[in-house]
Amino acid sequence: MAYTPQLLELMKKVEETRPSRVGVNFPRMSQEERRDVLEKFHPDYIEDGFRKIKVGVDKGTRLPTEMADVFESWSRLRDVDLDLNAPPDYDVDVLIIGGGGAGASAALDAHAAGADVLIATKLRFGDANTMMAQGGIQAADKENDTPAIHYLDVMGGGRLENVPELARALVMDAPLVIKWLEDMGTMFDKKEDGTMITIHGGGTSRKRMHAARDYTGAEIMRTLRDEVINKGLTVIEFSPAVEVILDNEGRAAGAVLYNLETEQYQIARAKTVIIATGGSGRLHYRGFPTSNHYGATADGLVMGYRAGAKTIYADSIQYHPTGGAYPPQLLGLLVTEKTRGLGATPLNINGEQFVYHLETRDVESSAIIRECAERGLGVPLPTGITAVWLDSPLIELTHGEGTVERQLPAMMRQFQRFDVDIRKVPMLIYPTLHYQNGGLLIDENGHSSVENLYVAGEAAGGIHGTNRLMGNSLLDIIVFGRRAGRDAAAKSKDMPVPEKLNLDHLASYHRELEETGAADDRIGPILLPHYTHR
Amino acid sequence: MNDKIAMVDIFLMGKRYTVPETLTIIDAMEYAGYQLVRGCGCRAGFCGACATVYRMAGDYELKVGLACQTKVEDGMYLAQIPFFPGRKANFNLEDIKPSTAHFTQLYPEVYRCLGCSSCSKVCPQDIDVMQYIAYIQRGDFEKAADISFDCLMCGLCVSRCPANIVHYNAALTARRLYGRYIAKPDPFLVERAKAIEEGKLDAEIDELVAADDEKLQELYNTREIEK
């Protein structure tokens, strides 16, 4: 058992109160209560974590300090001599930067539309937050549900700040995406007769969360990846793009790739470019641990922004309410929302529930932070931080023995590896940095504010307003990956081979940095987080 | 509260480093000064990037684990296997069926399994790999899909197989065959997709897209929530 004697002593409170909590629903907050807890405790509202960016197309916009740092940085190509108009190393219709779920979806649909496609990715193909998404994917494909009802949940959850056309595209494509994935052999959880098994997620008004056990993202990613390889599409691994190349009319026309292993630069010329580089959790805003993949360092945001792409809600960050807090090896690790979907509830040091277990993520996280910070009712851990309990044993008391193993095999295994049996003992959790709600602004075809430059997946913004609901991210990467892939393929048919490739936008960006002194000696995108010698 | 953390000696590719005992192998490598490029992925046990082989000082037995999911121990000798050149058979899912005849063409080596169980012993997910290979041989793709489901495709099974089977790719093909042909399609999903494509659900949503914030907020606050 990984818990210390002190923790085991505290755990008795949870066991004492458990019988009285079975089957009892804690009341949901009113809208006023929600607003209050958000404004006082959500990190997005804590002003000293932000600053206004001094350079670029959104000059004066508020960004998290750590994101502003990577935006206000010198290009890696500042002192590099490249002949952009020599015969390029790669020459394609559609260049996709990033090999996660959005990139793979874009590649498949661009290829299906007849385009010549190249995927360049920083790590391995499939190394992405997609792979780690556990809980599910939303789609209104039940008789009591419609895309319109889904739309209302998306907009309400996003505080009505979503771009309506993007939210519309998200929910209308959702059933089509599930069918597309199913036709490729993705194994969703189903009943014998083929009916999808769906449950609630935070902020949903219908049970529309589809899952593949708790490996939903992994199951989707490995299927997409397999299909991309089956189609014979070119994928270059360990070769992140470091800058977008423009043509003489300021349109995206390719990217400079950097081979992480040989440390050489290569030129990929393309008629259209899709940024699908994912999120930025590895920037560790406000020092939070993160549930994100090693590669989530905002590369695409930095490149796209320098090329002139506008951002939206880049200062809106999602803290997942249930990150692992103890044992220390699990710090920041995602405890899937499905755990609460199945009935596990957060509890304070007295074994009392203090918030409804399926509030939207922003509200749930803020309530947990409040319980620890203001009320002082968190559980003190030997590592010096505080946490709250997540009463996972409630799951089998409600749904019967075997539920955890069947529905949460990944979760069970991860905790078991460090000697915690979540069927028997409650977990210790605290919010973890999980998702970038905003990003580069797109339209409903994934097109950014720079011509021929598309953005899909977590790097894109506007779809979820300032708070995304569970299960809408796996959905969004595929919806907008496919839309961007199709539109980029169509666009490239009408485009001549780009001419006069240049990086002039870097020169003017650098001039602004010099004038403002904003960059110090920082270089971006950072590509890899630096954890050495901590 | 926080006692001094004990340190242990580990050997990264034979070279000794002293690291805190609470760290995972990944964290320990970084603590030792490595800037990881390969051999590091999701850091949460989902991606299979960090397959690691290790042995304890004085012991002959080789052990395996995911570097992000395994705590360091004193006297651990380790090396990562960040890549393994396993073969993948390409196929068009619409041209094959869940049949032994088709599978033999894609992965003939599966039928040469020696039954040594090295794959099952080495799996960091504790999957009975040899058993799912046996199910594939028998043409039971449903069972093969079910018990191979938690596979992370880390490649450790392949590294130990004397018959050169690429288990994880064979399993993925089995699962795709199951998902495509054996699991029944959701009847209502097909209907819903058709309705959307025909534009039958446009009017309802366009009304909401056109609604002002006040109206939307009211609809949101008063929406019915399924029990």
Side-chain angles (χ1 to χ4, degrees), chain A residues 352-419:
Chain A
E352 298 157 347
Q353 192 168 351
F354 54 89
V355 59
Y356 177 65
H357 62 300
L358 288 172
E359 293 286 356
T360 52
R361 286 178 174 176
D362 49 356
V363 171
E364 191 87 15
S365 291
S366 304
I368 293 169
I369 294 171
R370 175 176 67 188
E371 199 67 13
C372 295
E374 187 188 55
R375 298 178 178 168
L377 295 176
V379 180
L381 301 179
T383 46
I385 58 174
T386 51
V388 298
W389 299 106
L390 182 65
D391 201 14
S392 47
L394 275 182
I395 295 173
E396 298 206 336
L397 285 178
T398 319
H399 298 282
E401 225 169 277
T403 306
V404 170
E405 188 169 7
R406 204 166 50 247
Q407 301 272 348
L408 299 167
M411 217 69 267
M412 193 175 118
R413 182 181 281 121
Q414 280 171 323
F415 278 77
Q416 207 122 51
R417 278 190 175 120
F418 301 105
D419 296 323

Side-chain angles (χ1 to χ4, degrees), chain A residues 478-508:
Chain A
I478 299 172
V479 166
F480 290 96
R482 296 186 71 192
R483 281 173 171 253
R486 286 196 297 262
D487 204 66
K491 191 84 189 285
S492 61
K493 279 193 182 138
D494 304 327
M495 278 286 302
V497 175
E499 284 177 13
K500 298 191 180 140
L501 272 53
N502 67 78
L503 292 167
D504 294 350
H505 62 285
L506 293 183
S508 52

Side-chain angles (χ1 to χ4, degrees), chain A residues 242-263:
Chain A
V242 297
E243 295 295 350
V244 173
I245 298 171
L246 302 180
D247 72 2
N248 55 338
E249 292 182 39
R251 300 175 293 204
V256 178
L257 311 181
Y258 178 65
N259 184 326
L260 284 175
E261 290 167 321
T262 63
E263 302 186 351

Side-chain angles (χ1 to χ4, degrees), chain A residues 160-379:
Chain A
L160 303 187
E161 291 173 309
N162 325 49
V163 177
E165 291 70 26
L166 299 180
R168 183 192 193 280
L170 180 80
V171 301
M172 288 298 273
D173 281 10
L176 309 179
V177 158
I178 300 292
K179 183 161 186 313
W180 186 64
L181 291 171
E182 197 179 25
D183 288 345
M184 279 192 279
T186 309
M187 281 173 60
F188 288 110
D189 296 345
K190 290 176 154 198
K191 294 181 188 158
E192 278 289 305
D193 68 353
T195 310
M196 296 277 180
I197 298 169
T198 52
I199 64 170
H200 269 304
T204 58
S205 64
R206 294 290 185 280
K207 293 179 181 173
R208 73 168 79 85
M209 196 69 60
H210 303 63
R213 306 189 192 178
D214 58 351
Y215 288 95
T216 313
E219 169 65 0
I220 290 172
M221 187 69 242
R222 63 199 183 195
T223 304
L224 293 172
R225 177 175 58 195
D226 195 55
E227 194 59 14
V228 168
I229 299 170
N230 277 347
K231 299 283 188 220
L233 309 186
T234 309
V235 181
I236 324 169
E237 299 183 316
F238 295 94
S239 289
V242 297
E243 295 295 350
V244 173
I245 298 171
L246 302 180
D247 72 2
N248 55 338
E249 292 182 39
R251 300 175 293 204
V256 178
L257 311 181
Y258 178 65
N259 184 326
L260 284 175
E261 290 167 321
T262 63
E263 302 186 351
Q264 287 168 317
Y265 290 102
Q266 289 190 308
I267 309 296
R269 180 167 69 187
K271 293 175 180 175
T272 53
V273 177
I274 302 176
I275 290 176
T277 50
S280 59
R282 291 279 160 187
L283 299 182
H284 295 287
Y285 303 119
R286 298 190 64 77
F288 268 82
T290 184
S291 60
N292 278 193
H293 193 279
Y294 185 55
T297 52
D299 305 351
L301 293 191
V302 175
M303 280 182 269
Y305 186 71
R306 282 190 188 138
K310 289 181 189 301
T311 64
I312 180 169
Y313 308 134
D315 59 345
S316 170
I317 305 299
Q318 182 165 84
Y319 295 82
H320 195 291
T322 56
Y326 197 84
Q329 298 82 19
L330 296 174
L331 182 65
L333 176 122
L334 182 69
V335 172
T336 173
E337 190 160 316
K338 197 176 170 189
T339 316
R340 282 176 294 132
L342 289 166
T345 56
L347 308 174
N348 63 21
I349 191 169
N350 300 322
E352 298 157 347
Q353 192 168 351
F354 54 89
V355 59
Y356 177 65
H357 62 300
L358 288 172
E359 293 286 356
T360 52
R361 286 178 174 176
D362 49 356
V363 171
E364 191 87 15
S365 291
S366 304
I368 293 169
I369 294 171
R370 175 176 67 188
E371 199 67 13
C372 295
E374 187 188 55
R375 298 178 178 168
L377 295 176
V379 180

Side-chain angles (χ1 to χ4, degrees), chain A residues 419-438:
Chain A
D419 296 323
V420 176
D421 184 344
I422 64 171
R423 295 169 298 186
K424 309 269 161 54
V425 300
M427 305 152 109
L428 283 157
I429 54 106
Y430 193 77
T432 184
L433 172 45
H434 187 56
Y435 186 77
Q436 173 184 288
N437 290 312

